Amino acid sequence: MKLNKNRKLLLILIVGILCFYGFKNYAEKVKDKNSIATSISSIFFDFNTFELKVDSNLNLSDFKVVNKNSGTTIFAEGKNRKGIDNDYGHRLFELYYKDQKLYEFGHFSTNNWYTFDYTLNLNKINNRIEPDLKIMRGENESYNDFFYKKFEYNESGKLYRISYLTLGKEIYNVKEISE
């Protein structure tokens, strides 16, 4: 009698696991479509990806990227991590170089079920690190409300200016920080 109960529990567990993985695979196939499966799966699964690429003059392990919406570190110690939720609204990220915030960047997502593949390319130009963010996939590939915010420091490491940049890196506002 007890053996039958254990078999039933094991069978329920196996069926549950198979249903979970089956739903996850199906949800990944329809992840950018407006459906009930997508709405539910966007709560439980993180299908967004983030990749950081640097030129040969930079060391990948010197960088850290934080998802500002959740506070989750999505890139550190040279490795990508999960942690980009599917939220409606601004998706904001912070780029740190040797524990000093260099940039804040982001865009606006018009639906909470849209997923994105982010690639952040960093190049060292004239002794400055220049970012270039590409959003590779998703229904909302336009750069709606896209921006960069650049943090500039003096020789002693004190923040003295925040520059607000467009997608094309044109400055549209500067905030000077007084000492």
Side-chain angles (χ1 to χ4, degrees):
M1 187 77 153
K2 188 171 179 119
L3 187 60
N4 276 342
K5 279 187 178 180
N6 287 342
R7 284 184 181 170
K8 285 180 185 178
L9 286 175
L10 183 61
L11 182 63
I12 290 171
L13 180 65
I14 291 171
V15 168
I17 291 171
L18 290 174
C19 288
F20 174 80
Y21 282 106
F23 176 71
K24 183 177 181 184
N25 288 335
Y26 172 74
E28 192 164 6
K29 290 177 185 167
V30 298
K31 63 184 165 191
D32 289 324
K33 309 282 188 273
N34 184 5
S35 69
I36 292 173
T38 304
S39 298
I40 293 169
S41 68
S42 67
I43 296 168
F44 297 108
F45 305 118
D46 181 5
F47 294 128
N48 296 294
T49 63
F50 184 88
E51 184 178 8
L52 183 67
K53 296 179 180 179
V54 298
D55 71 13
S56 60
N57 299 330
L58 298 169
N59 185 355
L60 193 62
S61 62
D62 289 338
F63 293 94
K64 178 171 85 169
V65 179
V66 175
N67 178 353
K68 191 171 178 184
N69 297 74
S70 66
T72 305
T73 301
I74 59 172
F75 184 90
E77 299 168 357
K79 296 181 182 166
N80 294 315
R81 302 177 181 174
K82 291 290 190 179
I84 303 173
D85 296 332
N86 283 20
D87 291 329
Y88 170 82
H90 285 100
R91 295 197 182 176
L92 306 170
F93 305 95
E94 298 173 317
L95 173 67
Y96 291 86
Y97 177 68
K98 296 182 178 179
D99 295 324
Q100 188 175 60
K101 186 177 355 180
L102 290 185
Y103 286 92
E104 208 172 274
F105 52 91
H107 71 102
F108 191 83
S109 178
T110 57
N111 281 303
N112 64 344
W113 60 80
Y114 287 164
T115 59
F116 299 93
D117 290 330
Y118 300 96
T119 302
L120 181 62
N121 296 300
L122 301 176
N123 296 299
K124 194 167 190 176
I125 301 170
N126 295 329
N127 215 21
R128 290 190 329 247
I129 296 172
E130 297 291 333
D132 184 30
L133 181 68
K134 300 286 185 209
I135 301 176
M136 304 305 286
R137 179 188 42 128
E139 293 288 330
N140 192 13
E141 286 190 24
S142 67
Y143 292 97
N144 237 355
D145 199 24
F146 188 88
F147 74 94
Y148 292 100
K149 194 188 299 186
K150 182 179 181 180
F151 296 84
E152 299 177 65
Y153 301 88
N154 61 20
E155 293 81 28
S156 64
K158 184 158 175 67
L159 179 67
Y160 74 92
R161 179 186 306 152
I162 301 173
S163 301
Y164 297 84
L165 312 171
T166 64
L167 173 63
K169 315 264 185 351
E170 296 90 21
I171 296 174
Y172 66 89
N173 193 4
V174 174
K175 179 180 176 185
E176 299 289 338
I177 309 297
S178 59
E179 293 194 38

